[in-house]
């Protein structure tokens, strides 16, 4: 039962979008302030609640409980109970996650874009209130990871350092980043962002950051003096790089569904089905476990399952892991019927949410490709609303220029424009589409592969596509199109005249064999979404929902199924004029003449079930990183992705279910690019939901992203690639003498020998946790001789070194606001930075006194600004006013 105390604690839980974190202190939930987010003490357990505002309407919630490696069983048990009670308090709708230190889920990591910091100690060592802007700090952080960064406190000694990773020496008012010689640019950039995050959130922007390249230490003599003074003299070679963790398994070859229930007090786990799973296997009265071969265990709770079953779901998942001898770090997620995660739905061949509403309204249906209702678009609307372009898979209204080549003798041959739209299954084609956007020419290059084309022709098609791509300086977006799986925009550019012949060739002078009567299935409601596909001329291939054309030597029958609409009949009539100049005879289903059946080889049963009126709802998109930066190629999912997650050094895979996008960064290597194509096909082939391996694949290069791609991202910034975000540029800013060499701070007179602000007895506090052991120093005039905090520390051998380090306040620093008060930024921008929680999603009356509701972004630190708006302050100012307003609204700064 939930106690009154617990109910009181839950009354303070906000149900507004955002992040809330608690730690377990004496078996009670204690809230962590925002400036402490991302700091996790290894001896503690935490509860993390993230409430998200979904596109369209409604909210979703995720509750995580995080288990530190040194936490006690009692704390773990208390955290699990609180998670269950919090789930009940929120109506049973949140998805519950169990997180183990070092094995956190991508979704959990996505909340902390700049990384997780693992800290020694925990509540058991004495919990204190949070003091911000404390500088009496000395710690060494071991930073690992390229996409998801973790920083672990290690002994302040060269013995902790290795050649492959990055280390942050944090001294309160100064942070020195040492980059291992074998670390790469992406890792260095992530570490810089983490260092800046520590400076801005924990130090109010008052700390300085210095960079040392481990392979070129002589280029940073002053910073190396500091490191030698604190870490001691270095004896011998540093340790070799620590291997990264084993690759994440994105897809698993086996997904199994189990029914979980109790029988005479015993837990029974009964296998129900293996992949591909279907939604009808789940019954509301029961609970189920979906096992992705041990990489992830998901529990589904039916709405009508007993209260005991629902409350025990998390414990049953943990018991299942033990019974299967899976690692204790195995990912666990618990969700209720109606509150399933996107990843859970992806495991099922199809998924329909009851009462689901489309985010864009009923005007734009997003169902199966063959039955999507499309309208003629205003080009500017698609360009101004990339989310609409993405949902509709349309970059424009298809009014651009089209040029078509056919592969002949492994070379490209121009196709007669009079036959544009006619594609033969024995051929391969290249279709170049040119259109205008923002007064610039944009290109899409479709590679159409016939079902009966030879392997050499398919290879030549890809090769010739590269040649055409090079002629346009790499600007075209390349799209692989497998016969019969044509994407929507491809249909649209042929204006209702797209005909796909099963076999044969369109090459001039070649006579295709006469097969007698030919049957074509026509699907579409307007010239933007119609195509005719040849099928076997047999009665069994008819379908009551469609229009068919039966072409014989003497006549062309236009057959209307009972389930087709008036618009479909109109398009069928138009298509019959494309296919045949013969007389047309309209045939209504059920009124066919005998000659019609004779031409089809006689009557036979065919599909006559009325089409379901409700379209299949869309699946949520998913983003993966494809990289071989650590020596072996792997795909890693990026949860809650943003444009900033697109890595210039890698290839990214965006799965929108109907299409697969491969985004290639400017610095990606050829091996990654080549492997990405293969991995995308393997991804589809092994997908648990039994995906179509011939789904269209779109090849997009950095800087040439079409709106059908950018529309899947919130607040896409077209200027992001123009500079300012690379590691080299970050390093240049941090190394600017004007920002790093104005004020001299002698370490022997710094705050390192003082007690922390607001405390007694030494030690330092990172926000949201207890103190840690204080560093001890002995001073001799200008010399600094660190003494060990423990008798066994090797730091006793450190040499005495006189050190002075030149520092100055960051030019972008503003004094931090203590959470309210009068704020009056001057024209020069020297006002106060505010905690984002004070100004995001707040009404004007809720804002601190003096804050201009229309200029809330001026009160954000640079890091908070980038996190919320996805771009730098300078790039934001270059955007048009309407775009700025749109980005501010999405970020809650309206």
């Amino acid at each position: 039962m939930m106690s009154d105390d617990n109910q009181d604690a839950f009354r303070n839980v906000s149900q507004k979008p955002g992040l809330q974190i608690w730690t377990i202190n004496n078996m009670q939930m204690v809230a962590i302030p925002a400036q402490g987010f991302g700091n996790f003490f290894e001896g503690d357990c935490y509860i993390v609640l993230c409430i998200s505002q979904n596109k369209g309407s409604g909210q979703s919630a995720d509750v995580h409980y995080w288990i530190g490696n040194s936490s006690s069983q009692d704390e773990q048990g208390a955290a699990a109970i609180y998670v269950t009670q919090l789930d009940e308090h929120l109506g049973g709708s949140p998805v519950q996650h169990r997180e183990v230190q070092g094995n956190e889920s991508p979704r959990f990591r996505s909340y902390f874009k700049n990384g997780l910091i693992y800290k020694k100690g925990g509540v058991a060592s004495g919990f204190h209130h949070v003091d911000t802007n404390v500088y009496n700090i000395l710690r060494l952080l071991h930073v690992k990871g390229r996409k998801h960064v973790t920083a672990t406190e290690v002994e302040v000694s060269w013995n902790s350092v290795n050649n492959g990773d990055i280390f942050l020496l944090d001294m309160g008012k100064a942070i020195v980043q040492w980059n291992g010689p074998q670390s790469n640019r992406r890792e260095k950039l992530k570490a810089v962002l983490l260092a800046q995050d520590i400076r801005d959130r924990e130090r109010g922007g008052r700390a300085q950051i210095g960079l040392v390249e481990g392979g070129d230490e002589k280029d940073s003599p002053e910073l190396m003096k500091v490191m030698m003074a604190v870490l001691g003299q270095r004896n011998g070679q540093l340790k070799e790089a620590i291997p990264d963790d084993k690759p994440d398994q994105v897809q698993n070859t086996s997904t199994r569904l189990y029914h979980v229930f109790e029988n005479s007090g015993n837990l029974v786990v009964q296998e129900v089905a293996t992949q591909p799973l279907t939604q009808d296997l789940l019954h509301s009265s029961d609970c189920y476990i979906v096992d992705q071969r041990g990489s992830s265990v998901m529990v589904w709770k039916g709405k009508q399952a007993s209260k005991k079953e629902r409350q025990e779901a998390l414990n049953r998942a943990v018991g299942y892991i033990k019974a299967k001898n899976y690692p204790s770090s195995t990912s666990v997620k618990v969700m209720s019927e109606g509150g399933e995660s996107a990843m859970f739905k992806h495991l099922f061949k199809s998924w329909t949410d009851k009462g689901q509403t489309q985010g864009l309204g009923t005007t734009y249906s997003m169902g199966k490709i063959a039955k999507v209702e499309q309208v003629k678009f205003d080009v500017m609307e698609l360009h101004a609303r990339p989310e609409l372009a993405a949902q509709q898979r349309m970059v424009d209204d298809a009014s651009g220029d089209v040029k078509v080549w056919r592969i002949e003798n492994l070379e490209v041959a121009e196709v007669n424009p009079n036959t544009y739209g006619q594609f033969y299954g024995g051929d391969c084609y290249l279709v170049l589409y040119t259109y205008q956007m923002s007064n610039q020419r944009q290109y899409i290059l479709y590679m159409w592969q016939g079902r009966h084309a030879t392997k050499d022709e398919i290879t030549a098609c890809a090769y010739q596509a590269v040649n055409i791509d090079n002629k346009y300086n790499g600007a075209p977006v390349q799209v692989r199109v497998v016969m019969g799986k044509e994407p929507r925009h491809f249909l649209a550019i042929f204006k209702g005249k797209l005909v796909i012949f099963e076999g044969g060739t369109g090459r001039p002078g070649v006579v295709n064999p006469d097969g007698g009567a030919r049957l074509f299935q026509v699907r579409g409601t307007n010239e933007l979404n119609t195509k005719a596909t040849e099928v076997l001329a047999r009665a069994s291939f008819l379908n009551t929902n469609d229009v068919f054309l039966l072409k014989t030597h003497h006549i062309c029958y236009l057959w209307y199924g009972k389930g087709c609409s008036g618009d479909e009949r109109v398009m069928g009539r138009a298509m019959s004029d494309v296919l045949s100049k013969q007389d047309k005879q309209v045939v209504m289903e059920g009124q066919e003449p005998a000659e019609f059946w004779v031409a089809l080889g006689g009557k036979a049963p065919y599909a006559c079930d009325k089409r379901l009126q409700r379209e299949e709802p869309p699946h949520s998109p998913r983003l993966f990183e494809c990289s071989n930066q650590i020596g072996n190629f792997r795909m890693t999912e990026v949860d809650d992705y943003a444009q900033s997650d697109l890595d210039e050094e890698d290839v990214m895979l965006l799965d929108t279910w109907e299409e697969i996008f491969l985004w290639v960064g400017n610095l990606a290597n050829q091996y990654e690019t080549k492997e990405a194509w293969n991995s995308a096909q393997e991804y589809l082939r092994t997908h648990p939901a039994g995906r179509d391996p011939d789904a269209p694949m779109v090849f997009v290069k950095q800087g040439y992203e079409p709106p059908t791609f950018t529309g899947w991202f919130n607040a896409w910034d077209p200027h992001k690639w123009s500079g300012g975000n690379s590691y080299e540029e970050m390093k240049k800013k941090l190394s600017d003498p004007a920002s790093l060499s104005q004020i001299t701070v002698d370490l022997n007179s710094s705050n390192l020998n003082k007690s922390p602000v607001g405390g007694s007895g030494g030690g330092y506090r990172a926000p949201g946790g207890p103190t840690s052991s204080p560093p001890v120093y002995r001073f001799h005039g200008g010399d600094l001789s660190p003494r060990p905090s423990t008798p066994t520390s090797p730091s006793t051998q450190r040499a005495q070194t006189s050190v002075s380090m030149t520092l100055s306040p960051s030019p972008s620093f503003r004094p931090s606001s203590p959470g309210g008060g009068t704020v009056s930024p001057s024209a020069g921008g020297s006002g106060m930075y505010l905690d984002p929680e004070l100004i995001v999603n707040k009404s004007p009356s809720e804002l601190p006194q003096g804050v201009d509701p229309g200029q809330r972004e001026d009160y954000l630190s640079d890091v908070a600004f980038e996190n919320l708006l996805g771009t730098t302050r300078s790039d934001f100012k270059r955007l048009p006013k309407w775009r700025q307003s749109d980005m501010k609204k999405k970020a809650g700064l309206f």
Side-chain angles (χ1 to χ4, degrees):
M1 291 291 292
M2 190 184 299
S3 69
D4 291 338
D5 289 343
N6 293 342
Q7 289 179 357
D8 289 339
F10 291 137
R11 284 197 188 101
N12 294 323
V13 173
S14 171
Q15 298 198 25
K16 293 181 179 180
L19 196 65
Q20 298 168 74
I21 304 179
W22 299 266
T23 188
I24 304 301
N25 183 7
N26 294 325
M27 303 303 147
Q28 298 295 317
M29 282 174 58
V30 178
I32 300 293
Q35 63 264 36
F37 289 3
N39 289 284
F40 290 88
F41 285 81
E42 297 180 342
D44 291 342
C45 290
Y46 293 78
I47 295 172
V48 177
L49 169 63
C50 180
I51 298 178
S52 306
Q53 181 68 49
N54 298 327
K55 277 189 176 182
S57 61
Q59 293 181 342
S60 60
D62 291 86
V63 179
H64 306 254
Y65 82 100
W66 184 90
I67 301 171
N69 286 342
S70 305
S71 62
S72 69
Q73 289 292 326
D74 287 343
E75 286 175 319
Q76 294 177 24
I81 292 171
Y82 275 119
V83 164
T84 301
Q85 293 177 342
L86 181 58
D87 179 77
E88 286 182 28
H89 176 75
L90 295 172
S93 61
V95 177
Q96 300 173 38
H97 309 254
R98 176 176 175 269
E99 309 285 356
V100 177
Q101 180 183 338
N103 294 277
E104 296 86 357
S105 66
R107 182 157 195 82
F108 185 85
R109 291 173 180 270
S110 73
Y111 305 146
F112 313 99
K113 290 292 186 184
N114 291 315
L116 301 174
I117 300 177
Y118 300 142
K119 305 180 65 57
K120 299 295 183 186
V123 170
S125 61
F127 189 90
H128 295 268
H129 70 282
V130 176
D131 291 315
T132 57
N133 304 339
V134 175
Y135 306 106
N136 184 29
I137 290 171
L138 179 64
R139 62 178 175 176
L140 183 65
L141 295 174
H142 179 191
V143 183
K144 284 187 70 66
R146 302 178 57 257
K147 184 61 64 180
H148 300 302
V149 175
T150 58
T152 307
E153 282 191 5
V154 292
E155 182 189 10
V156 185
S157 162
W158 283 112
N159 291 338
S160 303
V161 180
N162 69 69
N163 282 314
D165 294 324
I166 295 171
F167 295 81
L168 298 180
L169 179 58
D170 184 0
M171 299 169 287
K173 284 194 174 180
I175 302 172
V176 180
Q177 175 174 326
W178 184 89
N179 299 325
Q182 296 170 26
S183 60
N184 60 48
R185 292 170 62 258
R186 179 68 176 176
E187 292 169 326
K188 295 174 185 178
L189 175 59
K190 281 291 190 179
V192 167
L193 294 174
L194 175 62
Q196 290 180 330
D197 188 51
I198 293 172
R199 175 196 67 191
D200 293 341
R201 279 199 302 132
E202 297 187 21
R203 313 291 151 71
R206 293 184 177 90
Q208 281 301 316
I209 300 171
L211 296 174
V212 177
E213 298 297 342
D216 297 294
E217 294 176 339
K218 62 182 182 299
D219 294 340
S220 308
E222 293 300 318
L223 294 175
M224 282 306 297
K225 284 182 182 178
V226 174
M227 293 194 71
M228 290 297 183
V230 179
L231 300 181
Q233 292 299 315
R234 198 162 61 202
N235 298 317
Q237 297 293 316
L238 293 175
K239 291 181 287 190
E240 285 307 303
I242 298 173
D244 284 84
D245 295 334
K246 62 184 180 181
D248 300 330
Q249 295 296 317
V250 175
Q251 298 299 148
N252 296 281
T253 55
S254 177
T255 298
R256 298 177 182 271
L257 178 69
Y258 296 90
H259 178 205
V260 185
F261 59 96
E262 279 192 2
N263 186 8
S264 302
N266 297 318
L267 181 66
V268 179
V269 179
Q270 185 176 38
E271 184 173 323
V272 176
T274 57
Q275 69 183 47
L277 306 177
T278 55
Q279 191 177 357
D280 58 7
L281 294 168
L282 303 174
H283 299 291
S284 293
S285 57
D286 295 318
C287 290
Y288 297 86
I289 285 178
V290 176
D291 182 356
Q292 288 189 274
R293 208 181 187 187
S295 69
S296 173
V297 171
M298 301 184 185
V299 182
W300 184 88
K301 303 182 295 184
K303 285 184 176 179
Q304 297 169 22
S306 69
K307 186 174 182 179
K308 182 180 179 183
E309 279 188 305
R310 295 170 60 81
Q311 290 178 338
E312 287 295 313
L314 194 56
N315 289 336
R316 286 180 176 176
V318 175
Y320 175 83
I321 287 173
K322 291 179 180 177
K324 285 281 191 176
N325 289 321
Y326 289 159
S328 60
S329 58
T330 301
S331 170
V332 174
K333 300 178 182 66
V334 179
M335 61 207 73
S336 297
E337 181 179 359
E340 298 86 358
S341 67
M343 187 175 295
F344 184 83
K345 295 176 186 177
H346 263 254
L347 300 176
F348 290 77
K349 195 165 183 64
S350 63
W351 189 276
T352 303
D353 289 324
K354 294 177 181 177
Q356 176 167 339
T357 57
Q358 301 292 357
L360 296 171
T362 57
T363 306
Y364 306 108
S365 172
M366 299 179 289
K368 295 180 180 177
I369 185 169
K371 290 298 174 186
V372 169
E373 295 297 326
Q374 292 177 331
V375 297
K376 291 188 177 180
F377 301 105
D378 178 342
V379 180
M380 295 311 297
E381 184 183 12
L382 284 173
H383 293 176
R385 294 181 60 199
E387 70 276 9
L388 176 60
Q391 298 287 11
Q392 286 293 318
R393 275 80 176 182
M394 296 287 286
V395 297
D396 67 350
D397 60 357
S399 61
D401 297 325
V402 181
K403 190 168 186 179
V404 183
W405 296 270
R406 184 171 37 246
I407 302 299
E408 297 180 9
N409 300 318
L410 308 186
E411 299 293 334
V412 290
E414 290 191 20
V415 171
N416 186 336
N418 293 331
T419 63
Y420 278 9
Q422 298 178 25
F423 291 82
Y424 291 82
D427 291 329
C428 287
Y429 298 83
L430 290 170
V431 179
L432 181 66
Y433 180 78
T434 307
Y435 64 104
Q436 291 282 131
M437 187 172 74
S438 303
N439 296 320
Q440 285 189 325
R441 283 178 171 263
Q442 309 287 335
Y443 306 94
I444 301 177
L445 183 59
Y446 293 101
M447 298 170 281
W448 191 90
Q449 302 172 0
R451 187 178 291 119
H452 305 292
T454 65
K455 286 186 177 180
D456 287 345
E457 288 172 327
I458 293 174
T459 302
C461 185
Y463 175 77
Q464 296 296 346
V466 173
N467 289 340
I468 293 174
D469 183 82
N470 290 336
K471 287 180 182 177
Y472 291 89
N473 298 317
V477 172
Q478 298 179 40
V479 185
R480 184 203 71 162
V481 180
V482 175
M483 175 178 169
K485 307 296 170 61
E486 292 77 16
R488 302 181 192 180
H489 187 260
F490 188 86
L491 304 184
I493 63 179
F494 293 105
K495 308 294 189 299
K497 297 181 179 179
L498 177 60
V499 181
I500 299 171
F501 298 94
E502 174 59 28
T505 178
R507 298 180 190 184
V510 178
V511 179
N512 293 311
D514 183 1
R518 306 183 79 169
L519 184 64
F520 296 85
Q521 182 177 25
V522 182
R523 283 192 164 179
T525 56
N526 58 54
E527 65 177 20
L528 291 177
N529 64 8
T530 298
K531 69 174 177 178
T533 306
E534 184 173 10
V535 296
L536 198 60
R538 292 289 181 267
S540 57
F541 281 83
L542 295 173
N543 187 316
T544 194
N545 295 306
D546 293 317
V547 175
F548 284 81
L549 298 173
L550 177 60
K551 190 173 181 293
T552 70
H553 292 300
H554 310 292
I555 195 169
C556 180
Y557 294 103
L558 190 55
W559 185 85
Y560 293 147
K562 292 178 180 178
C564 66
S565 68
D567 288 340
E568 289 171 321
R569 295 181 186 186
V570 169
M571 292 313 300
R573 168 67 74 175
M575 190 62 78
S576 70
D577 293 335
V578 175
L579 273 168
S580 174
K581 304 301 180 187
Q582 299 168 304
D583 292 337
K584 314 297 190 304
Q585 180 177 340
V586 173
V587 175
M588 305 300 293
E589 182 180 6
Q591 301 176 19
E592 301 86 355
E595 294 82 7
F596 178 85
W597 295 118
V598 170
L600 290 176
K603 283 188 176 183
Y606 58 85
C608 50
D609 292 334
K610 285 294 178 68
R611 181 191 310 128
L612 290 174
Q613 294 303 308
R614 190 156 119 188
E615 301 290 356
E616 181 180 326
H619 285 75
S620 299
R622 298 170 72 186
L623 183 71
F624 299 87
E625 177 189 38
C626 310
S627 173
N628 74 333
Q629 293 281 340
I630 60 170
N632 58 320
F633 188 86
R634 70 178 186 179
M635 289 174 63
T636 308
E637 181 160 13
V638 182
D639 206 277
D640 191 26
Y641 65 82
Q643 183 185 2
S644 58
D645 292 308
L646 297 176
D647 189 339
E648 295 183 78
E649 296 185 3
D650 286 331
V651 175
M652 313 294 291
L653 183 149
L654 178 67
D655 178 8
T656 67
W657 197 264
E658 193 171 300
E659 296 170 327
I660 299 289
F661 288 91
L662 289 170
W663 181 91
V664 182
N666 288 336
L667 303 177
N669 60 49
Q670 288 186 343
Y671 177 80
E672 287 170 346
T673 305
K674 179 184 175 184
E675 279 301 302
W677 281 104
N678 297 332
S679 292
Q681 294 181 63
E682 182 69 7
Y683 169 81
L684 284 173
R685 189 186 67 79
T686 61
H687 198 283
R691 296 280 290 282
D692 182 353
D694 293 334
M697 287 187 192
V698 185
F699 196 75
V700 178
K701 286 179 281 297
Q702 179 185 334
Y704 297 101
E705 297 86 359
T708 46
F709 178 81
T710 64
W712 296 107
F713 293 79
N714 282 327
W716 181 271
D717 176 12
H719 302 290
K720 180 174 176 61
W721 314 127
S722 60
N725 296 306
S726 71
Y727 170 70
E728 286 75 16
E729 288 157 335
M730 289 275 197
K731 181 178 179 181
K732 187 176 180 181
K733 291 176 186 176
L734 292 171
S735 302
D736 183 1
S739 66
L740 197 59
S741 60
Q742 298 299 318
I743 301 173
T744 298
V745 177
D746 196 328
L747 282 179
N748 66 5
S749 62
S750 73
N751 285 331
L752 289 175
N753 65 325
K754 299 177 183 177
S755 296
V757 178
S760 61
Y764 77 89
R765 298 176 184 85
T771 60
S772 64
S773 301
V776 182
Y777 297 92
R778 181 175 67 243
F779 298 99
H780 303 281
D783 293 337
L784 168 64
S785 180
R787 289 171 58 188
S789 56
T790 58
T792 56
S793 170
S795 59
T796 51
Q797 301 173 12
R798 299 172 190 161
Q800 292 186 355
T801 311
S802 179
V803 179
S804 68
M805 182 175 180
T806 56
L807 301 169
S808 73
S810 169
S812 64
F813 163 70
R814 307 183 201 178
S816 65
S817 167
T822 301
V823 183
S824 53
S826 67
S830 59
M832 294 183 174
Y833 284 153
L834 294 176
D835 186 327
E837 286 195 353
L838 295 173
I839 56 177
V840 174
N841 291 316
K842 299 288 187 185
S843 67
S845 62
E846 295 177 303
L847 295 173
Q849 184 181 353
V851 171
D852 182 352
Q855 299 294 327
R856 304 183 193 209
E857 66 275 14
D858 290 346
Y859 305 89
L860 295 171
S861 70
D862 290 343
V863 170
F865 188 98
E866 286 194 46
N867 286 342
L868 279 170
L869 291 154
T871 185
T872 62
R873 202 182 297 271
S874 58
D875 287 345
F876 177 80
K877 290 178 180 178
R878 292 201 295 264
L879 296 174
K881 292 295 184 186
W882 68 265
R883 184 65 194 281
Q884 291 182 7
S885 297
D886 185 53
M887 292 171 69
K888 285 165 61 175
K889 188 173 183 180
K890 290 180 178 177
L893 298 170
F894 50 88

